[in-house]
Amino acid sequence: MGVDTGTMTRAQADAYLAELSDSRGDMFLNFLTDDLHPRIERDYGTAPSGHGLFGYSYGGLFSLYAWLTKSTFFESIGAGSPGIVNADSQVFARLEAMGDTLPDTKLHVTFNEQEILGDLAVYQNLTKNTATFLHRLTSRGGSVTSALMHETHVTGLQASFLSYLRTCRAQ
């Protein structure tokens, strides 16, 4: 789409897509759980359990990836407007591969009203694919909460994060 609208060259679009095809999510998840957390725990005395993860947009897609790995490190995971921009995203294959054995980790997914109703195809695809993911998950009895924010993709980060906190992290 960027090439068609003139916002990027073909070479830029190809480089962007190449980066997306090898995102190294496994390495980042290992960094968070095996390197960063122990250092934060050591330096700041955090609790040894009860951790949460929240990501928005492509960070929300990473959050879904973390949930789909069945990692027991996180007690809850929030995925705000997860960047499932393609109907052939790996999240669908990973969900299928799980069968009926879904993670115990709480999952909270949000997306924004104006992503659905707006006129940008990338956000329409994102919400359509997120809704499809949610439908496939809940149709197998998956324990997931979700919310529709009255925001755009640009303004939805804070509302999405607060929804995650209220739903999954309230004490």
Side-chain angles (χ1 to χ4, degrees), residues 23-74:
S23 63
R24 298 179 185 98
D26 54 339
M27 291 174 65
F28 186 59
L29 182 58
N30 289 338
F31 167 74
L32 290 177
T33 59
D34 300 342
D35 298 328
L36 183 60
H37 179 264
R39 183 172 183 146
I40 292 171
E41 187 175 36
R42 181 190 71 227
D43 293 352
Y44 300 102
T46 60
S49 63
H51 305 295
L53 174 69
F54 175 83
Y56 190 80
S57 196
Y58 279 143
L61 182 60
F62 173 77
S63 292
L64 286 182
Y65 168 79
W67 185 81
L68 289 163
T69 65
K70 298 185 185 180
S71 170
T72 57
F73 184 81
F74 299 106

